[in-house]
Protein backbone atom coordinates (compact mmCIF):
# COMPACT_ATOMS: atom_id res chain seq x y z
CA UNK A 1 0.00 0.00 0.00
CA UNK A 2 1.33 3.42 -0.98
CA UNK A 3 2.25 5.96 1.69
CA UNK A 4 0.14 9.11 1.75
CA UNK A 5 1.60 12.58 2.29
CA UNK A 6 -0.48 15.69 2.95
CA UNK A 7 0.30 19.14 1.54
CA UNK A 8 -1.43 22.50 1.98
CA UNK A 9 -1.88 22.90 -1.77
CA UNK A 10 -1.58 20.36 -4.56
CA UNK A 11 0.12 22.14 -7.45
CA UNK A 12 -1.14 21.64 -10.99
CA UNK A 13 2.24 20.56 -12.34
CA UNK A 14 3.99 17.36 -13.34
CA UNK A 15 6.50 17.65 -10.50
CA UNK A 16 5.40 18.03 -6.88
CA UNK A 17 7.89 19.23 -4.25
CA UNK A 18 7.37 18.34 -0.60
CA UNK A 19 9.23 20.10 2.21
CA UNK A 20 8.82 20.69 5.94
CA UNK A 21 7.72 18.03 8.41
CA UNK A 22 6.33 15.74 5.71
CA UNK A 23 9.66 15.71 3.89
CA UNK A 24 11.61 15.17 7.11
CA UNK A 25 9.42 12.19 8.00
CA UNK A 26 9.73 10.75 4.50
CA UNK A 27 13.51 11.14 4.27
CA UNK A 28 14.67 10.49 7.85
CA UNK A 29 12.02 8.08 9.16
CA UNK A 30 10.49 6.28 6.19
CA UNK A 31 13.72 6.52 4.15
CA UNK A 32 11.96 6.77 0.81
CA UNK A 33 13.87 5.74 -2.30
CA UNK A 34 14.15 7.12 -5.80
CA UNK A 35 11.46 5.66 -8.02
CA UNK A 36 9.23 4.77 -5.07
CA UNK A 37 5.53 5.42 -5.72
CA UNK A 38 3.62 7.52 -3.18
CA UNK A 39 0.29 9.31 -2.79
CA UNK A 40 -0.02 13.05 -2.20
CA UNK A 41 -3.22 14.88 -1.23
CA UNK A 42 -4.32 18.33 -0.13
CA UNK A 43 -6.87 16.87 2.28
CA UNK A 44 -9.70 18.41 0.23
CA UNK A 45 -10.19 15.40 -2.01
CA UNK A 46 -7.52 16.15 -4.61
CA UNK A 47 -4.80 13.52 -4.91
CA UNK A 48 -1.97 12.31 -7.11
CA UNK A 49 -0.02 9.09 -7.43
CA UNK A 50 3.60 9.99 -8.03
CA UNK A 51 7.10 8.54 -8.23
CA UNK A 52 9.96 10.01 -6.17
CA UNK A 53 12.37 11.64 -8.61
CA UNK A 54 14.73 13.70 -6.45
CA UNK A 55 15.68 13.57 -2.77
CA UNK A 56 17.53 16.40 -1.02
CA UNK A 57 18.37 17.03 2.65
CA UNK A 58 15.14 18.82 3.56
CA UNK A 59 12.82 18.17 0.63
CA UNK A 60 12.01 15.76 -2.15
CA UNK A 61 10.24 15.91 -5.50
CA UNK A 62 7.93 13.38 -7.14
CA UNK A 63 6.72 13.05 -10.72
CA UNK A 64 2.95 12.85 -11.15
CA UNK A 65 1.73 9.58 -12.64
CA UNK A 66 -2.00 9.92 -12.02
CA UNK A 67 -4.43 12.54 -10.70
CA UNK A 68 -7.88 12.22 -9.19
CA UNK A 69 -10.42 13.66 -6.80
CA UNK A 70 -12.38 11.97 -4.03
CA UNK A 71 -15.85 13.52 -3.94
CA UNK A 72 -17.46 14.54 -0.65
CA UNK A 73 -19.66 11.72 0.59
CA UNK A 74 -23.24 12.26 1.65
CA UNK A 75 -24.64 12.32 4.23
CA UNK A 76 -21.96 14.09 6.20
CA UNK A 77 -21.07 12.14 9.34
CA UNK A 78 -20.59 14.36 12.40
CA UNK A 79 -19.55 13.05 15.81
CA UNK A 80 -20.10 15.13 18.92
CA UNK A 81 -17.48 13.59 21.18
CA UNK A 82 -17.77 14.11 24.92
CA UNK A 83 -14.20 14.97 25.88
CA UNK A 84 -12.70 11.71 27.19
CA UNK A 85 -9.91 11.24 29.70
CA UNK A 86 -6.62 12.70 28.49
CA UNK A 87 -5.05 9.28 27.97
CA UNK A 88 -7.97 8.26 25.72
CA UNK A 89 -8.23 11.34 23.49
CA UNK A 90 -5.69 10.15 20.90
CA UNK A 91 -7.37 6.76 20.72
CA UNK A 92 -10.82 8.30 20.23
CA UNK A 93 -9.70 10.59 17.41
CA UNK A 94 -7.83 7.83 15.59
CA UNK A 95 -10.82 5.48 15.66
CA UNK A 96 -13.22 8.19 14.48
CA UNK A 97 -11.00 9.23 11.57
CA UNK A 98 -10.33 5.65 10.50
CA UNK A 99 -14.08 4.94 10.64
CA UNK A 100 -14.83 7.75 8.20
CA UNK A 101 -16.02 10.70 10.32
CA UNK A 102 -16.22 14.00 8.43
CA UNK A 103 -16.42 16.41 11.36
CA UNK A 104 -15.56 16.02 15.04
CA UNK A 105 -17.08 18.46 17.53
CA UNK A 106 -15.50 18.23 21.01
CA UNK A 107 -18.12 18.50 23.74
CA UNK A 108 -17.43 19.65 27.29
CA UNK A 109 -20.21 17.54 28.83
CA UNK A 110 -21.33 17.80 32.44
CA UNK A 111 -19.52 14.57 33.30
CA UNK A 112 -16.36 15.19 31.28
CA UNK A 113 -13.29 14.74 33.46
CA UNK A 114 -10.81 16.38 31.10
CA UNK A 115 -11.22 20.06 30.23
CA UNK A 116 -10.88 21.79 26.89
CA UNK A 117 -7.65 23.82 26.88
CA UNK A 118 -6.30 26.62 24.69
CA UNK A 119 -4.04 24.21 22.80
CA UNK A 120 -6.53 21.33 22.65
CA UNK A 121 -7.72 22.08 19.11
CA UNK A 122 -4.19 22.01 17.72
CA UNK A 123 -3.42 18.74 19.52
CA UNK A 124 -6.60 17.09 18.25
CA UNK A 125 -5.86 18.26 14.71
CA UNK A 126 -2.32 16.83 14.82
CA UNK A 127 -3.68 13.42 15.81
CA UNK A 128 -6.39 13.61 13.14
CA UNK A 129 -3.82 14.47 10.46
CA UNK A 130 -1.69 11.44 11.32
CA UNK A 131 -4.78 9.21 11.30
CA UNK A 132 -5.83 10.64 7.93
CA UNK A 133 -2.52 9.57 6.40
CA UNK A 134 -2.59 6.17 8.09
CA UNK A 135 -6.10 5.45 6.77
CA UNK A 136 -5.27 6.78 3.27
CA UNK A 137 -8.03 9.40 3.27
CA UNK A 138 -7.96 12.13 0.64
CA UNK A 139 -10.50 14.21 2.57
CA UNK A 140 -9.22 15.21 6.00
CA UNK A 141 -11.48 15.18 9.04
CA UNK A 142 -12.43 18.65 10.23
CA UNK A 143 -12.27 19.45 13.96
CA UNK A 144 -13.73 22.63 15.42
CA UNK A 145 -13.64 24.24 18.86
CA UNK A 146 -15.76 22.63 21.56
CA UNK A 147 -19.42 23.64 21.74
CA UNK A 148 -22.20 23.72 24.35
CA UNK A 149 -25.44 21.77 23.90
CA UNK A 150 -27.32 24.89 22.80
CA UNK A 151 -24.64 25.56 20.19
CA UNK A 152 -24.66 21.92 19.12
CA UNK A 153 -28.40 21.96 18.56
CA UNK A 154 -28.01 24.95 16.25
CA UNK A 155 -26.15 22.61 13.90
CA UNK A 156 -29.35 20.60 13.41
CA UNK A 157 -31.62 21.24 10.41
CA UNK A 158 -34.56 19.62 8.67
CA UNK A 159 -32.03 17.70 6.59
CA UNK A 160 -30.18 16.21 9.55
CA UNK A 161 -30.74 13.66 12.30
CA UNK A 162 -29.25 13.52 15.81
CA UNK A 163 -28.50 10.12 17.32
CA UNK A 164 -27.57 10.06 21.00
CA UNK A 165 -25.87 6.85 22.11
CA UNK A 166 -27.11 5.95 25.59
CA UNK A 167 -27.07 2.67 27.51
CA UNK A 168 -30.57 3.25 28.95
CA UNK A 169 -32.20 3.64 25.52
CA UNK A 170 -35.06 1.30 24.67
CA UNK A 171 -34.64 1.74 20.91
CA UNK A 172 -31.94 -0.08 18.96
CA UNK A 173 -29.69 1.78 16.56
CA UNK A 174 -30.50 -0.82 13.90
CA UNK A 175 -34.27 -0.19 14.10
CA UNK A 176 -33.94 3.60 14.18
CA UNK A 177 -31.51 4.09 11.30
CA UNK A 178 -33.02 3.02 7.98
CA UNK A 179 -31.98 3.37 4.35
CA UNK A 180 -33.89 6.70 4.30
CA UNK A 181 -31.12 8.22 6.42
CA UNK A 182 -28.92 8.01 3.32
CA UNK A 183 -30.93 10.90 1.84
CA UNK A 184 -30.11 13.27 4.71
CA UNK A 185 -27.46 15.96 4.50
CA UNK A 186 -26.01 15.18 7.93
CA UNK A 187 -26.10 12.46 10.56
CA UNK A 188 -24.99 13.76 13.97
CA UNK A 189 -23.80 11.14 16.47
CA UNK A 190 -23.54 12.16 20.12
CA UNK A 191 -21.10 10.27 22.35
CA UNK A 192 -20.96 11.02 26.05
CA UNK A 193 -17.76 11.07 28.19
CA UNK A 194 -16.78 8.20 30.51
CA UNK A 195 -19.50 9.19 32.99
CA UNK A 196 -22.13 9.19 30.27
CA UNK A 197 -24.72 11.74 29.16
CA UNK A 198 -26.48 13.28 32.17
CA UNK A 199 -30.27 13.25 32.55
CA UNK A 200 -30.33 17.02 32.07
CA UNK A 201 -28.36 16.78 28.83
CA UNK A 202 -30.47 13.86 27.65
CA UNK A 203 -33.62 15.90 28.22
CA UNK A 204 -32.25 18.75 26.12
CA UNK A 205 -31.42 16.44 23.24
CA UNK A 206 -34.83 14.76 23.42
CA UNK A 207 -36.57 18.15 23.39
CA UNK A 208 -34.72 18.93 20.16
CA UNK A 209 -36.06 15.76 18.55
CA UNK A 210 -32.94 13.63 18.89
CA UNK A 211 -33.14 9.85 18.68
CA UNK A 212 -31.81 8.21 21.85
CA UNK A 213 -30.57 4.77 20.85
CA UNK A 214 -28.66 1.82 22.29
CA UNK A 215 -25.45 0.66 20.67
CA UNK A 216 -25.87 -3.01 21.50
CA UNK A 217 -26.16 -4.65 24.93
CA UNK A 218 -22.50 -4.07 25.78
CA UNK A 219 -21.22 -0.74 27.09
CA UNK A 220 -18.44 0.80 25.03
CA UNK A 221 -15.68 3.06 26.28
CA UNK A 222 -16.30 6.65 25.28
CA UNK A 223 -13.23 6.52 23.05
CA UNK A 224 -14.55 3.46 21.18
CA UNK A 225 -18.29 4.15 20.91
CA UNK A 226 -18.06 6.68 18.08
CA UNK A 227 -16.20 4.33 15.79
CA UNK A 228 -18.66 1.54 16.48
CA UNK A 229 -21.61 3.84 15.81
CA UNK A 230 -20.15 5.11 12.53
CA UNK A 231 -19.47 1.55 11.41
CA UNK A 232 -23.03 0.40 12.14
CA UNK A 233 -24.61 3.47 10.55
CA UNK A 234 -22.39 3.26 7.47
CA UNK A 235 -23.54 -0.32 6.91
CA UNK A 236 -27.21 0.49 7.55
CA UNK A 237 -27.33 3.35 5.04
CA UNK A 238 -25.26 1.56 2.41
CA UNK A 239 -22.20 3.75 2.79
CA UNK A 240 -20.09 0.66 3.42
Amino acid sequence: MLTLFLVDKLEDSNLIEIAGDEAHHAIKVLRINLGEEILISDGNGNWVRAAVEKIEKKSFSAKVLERGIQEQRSPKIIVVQGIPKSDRIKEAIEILVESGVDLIIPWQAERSISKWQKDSLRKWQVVASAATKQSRRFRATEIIEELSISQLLEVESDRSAILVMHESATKKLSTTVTSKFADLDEIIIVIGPEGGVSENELAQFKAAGAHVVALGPEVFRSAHAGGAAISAISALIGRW
Side-chain angles (χ1 to χ4, degrees), residues 54-234:
K54 185 178 181 181
I55 301 175
E56 299 183 341
K57 286 186 177 181
K58 297 183 178 180
S59 66
F60 71 92
S61 301
K63 183 179 181 180
V64 174
L65 304 176
E66 180 185 7
R67 283 184 179 272
I69 183 168
Q70 184 181 72
E71 299 296 339
Q72 178 68 56
R73 292 179 294 184
S74 183
K76 185 176 184 179
I77 302 295
I78 300 172
V79 170
V80 176
Q81 175 67 58
I83 301 174
K85 295 178 182 178
S86 58
D87 61 338
R88 293 287 179 178
I89 292 174
K90 181 174 183 290
E91 189 175 358
I93 297 170
E94 288 175 340
I95 292 174
L96 290 175
V97 172
E98 292 165 7
S99 299
V101 70
D102 297 300
L103 169 64
I104 300 174
I105 303 177
W107 174 35
Q108 186 75 61
E110 290 180 8
R111 295 175 178 170
S112 291
I113 296 174
S114 296
K115 303 298 181 183
W116 188 253
Q117 307 294 337
K118 290 183 178 180
D119 62 345
S120 292
L121 180 60
R122 180 187 61 80
K123 290 181 177 179
W124 283 45
Q125 289 172 333
V126 168
V127 175
S129 178
T132 295
K133 290 185 284 186
Q134 188 280 327
S135 55
R136 311 301 193 274
R137 290 183 53 163
F138 298 135
R139 285 193 174 274
T141 295
E142 182 184 2
I143 303 178
I144 63 175
E145 290 282 359
E146 61 97 15
L147 299 177
S148 65
I149 287 187
S150 60
Q151 290 172 316
L152 292 173
L153 294 178
E154 290 177 0
V155 177
E156 186 192 22
S157 70
D158 293 336
R159 298 285 303 159
S160 67
I162 299 178
L163 299 165
V164 181
M165 304 298 141
H166 199 273
E167 61 188 70
S168 69
T170 56
K171 292 183 180 179
K172 292 182 180 180
L173 176 65
S174 59
T175 57
T176 301
V177 177
T178 67
S179 58
K180 292 181 180 180
F181 274 57
D183 297 326
L184 295 172
D185 291 336
E186 299 174 338
I187 296 177
I188 304 168
I189 303 166
V190 179
I191 305 296
E194 283 81 356
V197 180
S198 72
E199 291 302 317
N200 174 53
E201 292 166 335
L202 204 58
Q204 292 182 66
F205 283 119
K206 286 181 178 179
H211 303 276
V212 180
V213 296
L215 190 59
E218 295 79 16
V219 178
F220 284 85
R221 285 186 180 275
S222 176
H224 302 167
I230 292 174
S231 300
I233 292 169
S234 296

Side-chain angles (χ1 to χ4, degrees), residues 16-67:
I16 306 293
E17 182 178 1
I18 296 181
D21 292 340
E22 290 288 79
H24 175 80
H25 183 70
I27 298 168
K28 301 297 183 180
V29 181
L30 299 179
R31 299 187 181 278
I32 57 171
N33 299 306
L34 292 174
E36 182 177 339
E37 289 192 13
I38 61 173
L39 295 171
I40 308 172
S41 174
D42 61 1
N44 293 313
N46 301 297
W47 62 270
V48 300
R49 180 173 61 86
V52 178
E53 192 166 275
K54 185 178 181 181
I55 301 175
E56 299 183 341
K57 286 186 177 181
K58 297 183 178 180
S59 66
F60 71 92
S61 301
K63 183 179 181 180
V64 174
L65 304 176
E66 180 185 7
R67 283 184 179 272

